[in-house]
Amino acid sequence: MPAFSKTRIAPTPSGFLHLGNAFSFILTAAMARLHGASILLRVDDLDKERCRQAYLDDLFDTLLFLDIPWDEGPRSPKDVYDRFSQHLRLDQYETVLSQLHQAGFLFPCACSRSDLANAGLNSGCTGKCLEKTAQAAAWKIADSPETIEILSYPSRFSTYPFPTAMKHLVVKKKDGFPSYHLASVVDDVFFGVDLIVRGADLWESSLAQLHLSSLLPTTRAFAHATFLHHPLLTEDGQKLSKSAGHNPIRQLRQTALHRKEIYQQASRFFGLEAEATNLREFTDLLDPTRFASL
Ligand SMILES: [Zn+2]
């Protein structure tokens, strides 16, 4: 079994956490224990509009409720603001953005989503946007590869076609802030994360982030991270998302659902042979090889 040094729990506090988030946290924590990795709690709080105090409180309450430990990162909502906010690392993101810019990897683009949709593009740039010079522009990656290599859990390099939707990835948004992808890559490299456990909905994001990281020597270490994309909770065939608002953990806590019931549900969801009632049991029962092909 390979050893890893660090994984991360990296929620974006833009809504109340749901059961799918809890399952992902549990799996991440169990994988860390199995592989001797430490856990970084990383709060993606760049988007000030969407990141609210109540959501931050919910995050810490949920981790406490699930009895999920972490070794590094903020200990409380206040600690996020004081020491760990991504807003405190804007200089780092700016450094990488200017390196990308100076190396000629970026181009400005002011196309809106509707511009791209009208042009029949799900990504890219119509080229017309730059005629409207008064508009604020996002900065995007100019070129993308035909294929991209990813190191999948436990230790398998595979090559996949580069996803069309991820061409011309935004690295700096129109509002001047770094994009989620840029910040995520820079943070994972900075903190030394080498095991990334995330939902299968982020598969294309992982490929895009690998390409982004490959452009600069300072971020290239990201390519050595191992990825485990786990299945997502679905209900009636639909992805269980925050926006859908299903089963917020907050409600489950308030309706006196016990921690063990969440672990039992997570056990069934991830196909464990028996139902765990806490993190230790979940870790003992988890057979990580079942994720080897994902
Ligand atoms: Zn454009």
Side-chain angles (χ1 to χ4, degrees):
M1 198 178 284
F4 298 106
S5 63
K6 196 181 291 182
T7 185
R8 83 289 206 281
I9 290 174
T12 302
S14 59
F16 291 109
L17 297 171
H18 58 76
L19 202 54
N21 296 118
F23 289 2
S24 187
F25 295 170
I26 289 168
L27 180 64
T28 305
M31 291 296 290
R33 289 200 161 183
L34 275 177
H35 291 280
S38 65
I39 301 173
L40 164 73
L41 175 62
R42 202 191 81 201
V43 179
D44 284 328
D45 69 338
L46 266 187
D47 192 338
K48 272 189 170 160
E49 298 284 302
R50 297 174 66 207
C51 178
R52 298 198 344 220
Q53 176 71 39
Y55 302 150
L56 267 184
D57 292 342
D58 179 54
L59 167 63
F60 284 92
D61 290 348
T62 298
L63 289 170
L64 193 67
F65 173 69
L66 295 172
D67 199 20
I68 288 182
W70 66 100
D71 307 283
E72 191 179 353
R75 307 313 303 183
S76 67
K78 182 176 182 300
D79 206 17
V80 174
Y81 299 121
D82 290 349
R83 295 195 299 150
F84 287 96
S85 171
Q86 289 183 315
H87 291 273
L88 302 172
R89 291 201 295 280
L90 283 175
D91 284 354
Q92 283 186 43
Y93 309 138
E94 276 304 323
T95 300
V96 171
L97 283 168
S98 68
Q99 287 169 350
L100 287 168
H101 182 63
Q102 281 164 19
F105 290 123
L106 307 182
F107 72 100
C109 169
C111 293
S112 66
R113 274 180 208 273
S114 58
D115 289 338
L116 298 175
N118 291 339
L121 299 165
N122 56 8
S123 71
C125 172
T126 63
K128 291 183 181 167
C129 63
L130 297 174
E131 296 161 14
K132 306 177 228 166
T133 47
Q135 284 191 8
W139 288 83
K140 299 183 176 181
I141 296 178
D143 295 316
S144 52
E146 290 283 306
T147 59
I148 190 93
E149 190 173 58
I150 183 168
L151 176 54
S152 296
Y153 181 85
S155 55
R156 182 172 51 92
F157 275 104
S158 310
T159 302
Y160 292 88
F162 191 80
T164 309
M166 290 292 163
K167 284 180 180 163
H168 296 173
L169 187 75
V170 175
V171 290
K172 186 172 186 171
K173 298 185 294 179
K174 284 183 186 176
D175 63 9
F177 280 99
S179 72
Y180 159 77
H181 293 295
L182 190 284
S184 186
V185 167
V186 171
D187 284 356
D188 281 336
V189 172
F190 174 77
F191 287 104
V193 169
D194 61 357
L195 174 63
I196 297 175
V197 179
R198 51 169 49 159
D201 57 334
L202 289 174
W203 167 252
E204 291 195 340
S205 293
S206 295
L207 298 180
Q209 291 176 8
L210 282 164
H211 172 49
L212 163 58
S213 71
S214 74
L215 298 175
L216 294 175
T218 44
T219 50
R220 219 160 274 163
F222 187 73
H224 303 299
T226 298
F227 288 81
L228 189 165
H229 293 88
H230 61 74
L232 289 163
L233 197 56
T234 59
E235 202 166 68
D236 302 319
Q238 290 204 313
K239 193 180 96 180
L240 196 64
S241 68
K242 273 178 284 196
S243 53
H246 295 301
N247 300 334
I249 291 291
R250 186 175 52 122
Q251 276 175 20
L252 299 178
R253 289 200 309 266
Q254 286 162 357
T255 53
L257 189 77
H258 289 283
R259 173 188 303 152
K260 71 172 187 184
E261 292 167 82
I262 305 269
Y263 277 94
Q264 285 166 338
Q265 289 186 36
S267 305
R268 290 197 294 274
F269 179 70
F270 288 120
L272 272 52
E273 291 204 343
E275 290 188 359
T277 60
N278 56 43
L279 181 59
R280 184 182 50 75
E281 289 176 9
F282 187 93
T283 306
D284 289 344
L285 288 164
L286 181 66
D287 171 14
T289 59
R290 64 177 286 109
F291 297 110
S293 61
L294 296 171

